[in-house]
Amino acid sequence: MKQIQNTFLREFSPDGHYLVGVSGGRDSVALLHCLINSGYKNLVVCHLNHQLRGRASDADARFVEKLADKYDVDFVVDSANVRALATKEKLSIETAARDARYKFFAQAAKRERCRTIFLAHHADDLVETFLINLFRGSGTAGLGAMRTVSKRRVEDVELTIVRPFLENWRAEIDRYVRSQRLKFREDASNKDLAPLRNRIRRRVIPYLEKILGRNIRQGIWRAAMIAAEEESWIETQLPNVTDVNLAVGKLRDLPVALQRRQILKWLRAQNIGNVGFDVVENVRALLDHDSGIAKTNLPQDRHVRRKAGKMFID
């Protein structure tokens, strides 16, 4: 398996101060070991107890704490009742868990005065995420969402997310873990076919490979990387959205594709989560000269209004 690549060593110096998300599973344990072996010493191991597996979740937290102690790095831990959050926000367990993790990472970033976090997503994760977003009807913004280096705003914190393993496959990580004799925690829920990602991993991809007669992962991974690179370029073509108001006239002058991207960027900058195609199109409909509509709904009981040539959120 590739070690932390030279590009990462240049852009994210081992002398720097970084957060690293560690669940206790094989991928994050391998990432932490790889970072330590590559000379990264000033790390803060971040672990969120999702409270989904009772004593097993508590044991995961203790395992990660001992791992941080072994490597002599700082450790930050918190817990969240993900099942209750999912019920309250009407989200899937997977989405609620992801939202809780990133909120925790943002809080850790503020406390530790560090805005960069290493995560252990790998090539198989990229393929699965691409397919999930494709089946949901995402454009290239969703298809290229998982990148080697990306930004994510969580509340008032902008995190830099670094994924050094995005070119490494799960099988490579397995071999690395075995060769280094690394101990890790098995998550029994990975075998549960209720979560969509597990069904994609264990049923959909193997079925597609069977009927097509070839390994499709590499081709999907390549398409996802191309989408990510194109998406990064498109973002550089859009002006920064720092104002709480969006000028209707300037937005109308843009091509439709850029209108959508600008609205998406603006909504995210205003901390609006779960923004999909329908939400963006509803906001874009406010640009219509002939429409009498001057208000549209957003997630979380918020709204976009158009007034005096401006769009704003309340």
Side-chain angles (χ1 to χ4, degrees), residues 240-261:
N240 289 326
V241 185
T242 55
D243 295 334
V244 293
N245 298 329
L246 199 57
V248 172
K250 291 182 179 179
L251 197 57
R252 281 194 186 116
D253 292 338
L254 296 175
V256 171
L258 290 182
Q259 287 178 3
R260 289 172 175 151
R261 301 303 180 89

Side-chain angles (χ1 to χ4, degrees), residues 149-166:
V149 181
S150 61
K151 302 283 186 180
R152 185 181 184 120
R153 178 165 288 278
V154 184
E155 297 179 342
D156 60 340
V157 176
E158 184 173 71
L159 289 170
T160 296
I161 301 168
V162 186
R163 299 179 173 96
F165 283 174
L166 217 53

Side-chain angles (χ1 to χ4, degrees), residues 210-244:
K210 181 179 179 180
I211 63 174
L212 293 173
R214 61 186 178 87
N215 187 327
I216 65 172
R217 290 173 173 85
Q218 187 67 42
I220 296 172
W221 177 88
R222 188 182 305 115
M225 294 298 284
I226 291 171
E229 290 161 0
E230 291 181 352
E231 189 63 24
S232 293
W233 176 80
I234 289 171
E235 286 184 358
T236 66
Q237 307 305 302
L238 296 173
N240 289 326
V241 185
T242 55
D243 295 334
V244 293

Side-chain angles (χ1 to χ4, degrees), residues 5-24:
Q5 301 171 30
N6 289 335
T7 52
F8 285 102
L9 293 174
R10 287 195 299 269
E11 189 172 352
F12 302 97
S13 167
D15 296 328
H17 183 207
Y18 307 106
L19 308 176
V20 53
V22 181
S23 67

Side-chain angles (χ1 to χ4, degrees), residues 80-291:
N81 189 333
V82 167
R83 203 175 302 279
L85 288 172
T87 301
K88 179 181 178 182
E89 302 293 335
K90 298 180 180 179
L91 301 171
S92 69
I93 292 291
E94 298 165 280
T95 301
R98 184 184 65 241
D99 290 350
R101 279 196 303 276
Y102 278 106
K103 184 176 180 180
F104 164 61
F105 293 153
Q107 291 169 346
K110 289 178 72 172
R111 185 164 54 246
E112 300 295 328
R113 297 183 179 181
C114 173
R115 296 296 194 265
T116 300
I117 183 164
F118 287 91
L119 298 179
H121 297 121
H122 49 69
D124 290 275
D125 291 323
L126 178 64
V127 168
E128 293 157 11
T129 299
F130 181 93
L131 288 176
I132 289 169
N133 288 337
L134 177 66
F135 297 152
R136 287 173 174 166
S138 295
T140 53
L143 300 180
M146 187 175 285
R147 308 178 200 173
T148 308
V149 181
S150 61
K151 302 283 186 180
R152 185 181 184 120
R153 178 165 288 278
V154 184
E155 297 179 342
D156 60 340
V157 176
E158 184 173 71
L159 289 170
T160 296
I161 301 168
V162 186
R163 299 179 173 96
F165 283 174
L166 217 53
E167 296 184 14
N168 295 111
W169 297 93
R170 183 177 289 113
E172 294 178 277
I173 295 174
D174 288 345
R175 288 194 294 270
Y176 180 81
V177 167
R178 287 195 298 269
S179 69
Q180 300 297 319
R181 298 182 179 179
L182 300 179
K183 294 181 180 179
F184 59 90
R185 294 279 298 172
E186 282 282 10
D187 186 347
S189 65
N190 288 333
K191 298 179 181 178
D192 181 5
L193 293 179
L196 176 59
R197 180 175 295 275
N198 288 357
R199 296 200 301 276
I200 294 288
R201 178 185 306 160
R202 295 181 173 273
R203 292 288 187 267
V204 175
I205 293 176
Y207 177 72
L208 290 174
E209 290 183 332
K210 181 179 179 180
I211 63 174
L212 293 173
R214 61 186 178 87
N215 187 327
I216 65 172
R217 290 173 173 85
Q218 187 67 42
I220 296 172
W221 177 88
R222 188 182 305 115
M225 294 298 284
I226 291 171
E229 290 161 0
E230 291 181 352
E231 189 63 24
S232 293
W233 176 80
I234 289 171
E235 286 184 358
T236 66
Q237 307 305 302
L238 296 173
N240 289 326
V241 185
T242 55
D243 295 334
V244 293
N245 298 329
L246 199 57
V248 172
K250 291 182 179 179
L251 197 57
R252 281 194 186 116
D253 292 338
L254 296 175
V256 171
L258 290 182
Q259 287 178 3
R260 289 172 175 151
R261 301 303 180 89
Q262 189 68 62
I263 289 169
L264 179 62
K265 190 173 184 178
W266 175 62
L267 292 174
R268 286 176 173 172
Q270 306 307 315
N271 297 319
I272 304 298
N274 302 316
V275 178
F277 178 80
D278 290 341
V279 172
V280 171
E281 286 300 278
N282 289 341
V283 174
R284 203 171 67 81
L286 299 180
L287 300 176
D288 188 350
H289 288 283
D290 300 324
S291 174

